[in-house]
Amino acid sequence: ELLTQRRKGALPVLKRTPKFTDYADQYFKYYEQVKDAKRESTVYTEKIIINHWKEHLGHVRLDRITRAMINSFIAKRQAAGRSGRTVNLDVICFRNVMKRAVDDGWITSLPTQNLRPLKWTPHKRELFSGAQINEVCDKAIEVSKNGREFADYIRLLAFCGARMSEALR
């Protein structure tokens, strides 16, 4: 059986796997050294999310992480009032770290295998009317010395439908 597993490349790692906290630090150190692999803002967001995971299972070794531990994290985040989308994004970031552990040979399969994302519905956002946009722009011109630039920027966003960062680029 061991010979078959060796041929398939599915042998377990013979050394102790690192704790989740230590491996997550290695994961981020890699992306700090390798430029253009991920955006800086993506790495920043992932760090925040992985810190929640570190609190939950930082003491556990990578090969000992179970589906029950992941499910308890999901339940804890939802009990804290987080939406299904937020929890799904948390699981995606965790999966990114664990995929890297698979690539590095620390584990052979993902503990998130066959995990279905939570169902959620986005909140309906009300659109601003043209009169409301003009009111905000007029008030900005009255209050600030840079009000004219702000008003032009808001109107550009309103008429072209771009997001803030897209319009600035």
Side-chain angles (χ1 to χ4, degrees), residues 76-140:
K76 184 173 84 171
R77 291 289 282 167
Q78 282 197 311
R82 301 296 175 250
S83 72
R85 175 170 164 71
T86 302
V87 176
N88 288 340
L89 292 174
D90 291 351
V91 172
I92 289 170
C93 288
F94 172 73
R95 190 180 302 127
N96 289 343
V97 174
M98 297 305 284
K99 280 182 183 178
R100 181 116 184 107
V102 169
D103 293 343
D104 289 347
W106 289 114
I107 56 176
T108 55
S109 64
L110 293 175
T112 57
Q113 197 168 16
N114 299 326
L115 181 68
R116 291 190 182 112
L118 299 173
K119 293 184 178 172
W120 62 279
T121 54
H123 297 289
K124 184 76 173 168
R125 294 184 181 182
E126 296 294 323
L127 296 176
F128 287 97
S129 67
Q132 289 173 317
I133 292 172
N134 286 333
E135 186 178 326
V136 168
C137 292
D138 293 341
K139 194 66 170 176

Side-chain angles (χ1 to χ4, degrees), residues 20-83:
F20 180 77
T21 303
D22 300 333
Y23 189 75
D25 293 339
Q26 288 178 10
Y27 173 83
F28 289 118
K29 194 177 294 182
Y30 171 79
Y31 283 108
E32 287 171 2
Q33 293 172 350
V34 176
K35 299 298 178 197
D36 300 328
K38 288 188 178 192
R39 283 188 194 166
E40 189 176 319
S41 60
T42 303
V43 173
Y44 175 76
T45 305
E46 279 189 350
K47 279 184 181 181
I48 292 170
I49 292 171
I50 294 299
N51 283 337
H52 293 292
W53 282 99
K54 284 181 181 181
E55 290 173 17
H56 184 70
L57 41 85
H59 61 285
V60 180
R61 297 199 178 274
L62 290 177
D63 60 340
R64 301 287 181 219
I65 297 173
T66 63
R67 182 70 163 274
M69 293 175 184
I70 296 168
N71 289 340
S72 68
F73 177 82
I74 290 170
K76 184 173 84 171
R77 291 289 282 167
Q78 282 197 311
R82 301 296 175 250
S83 72

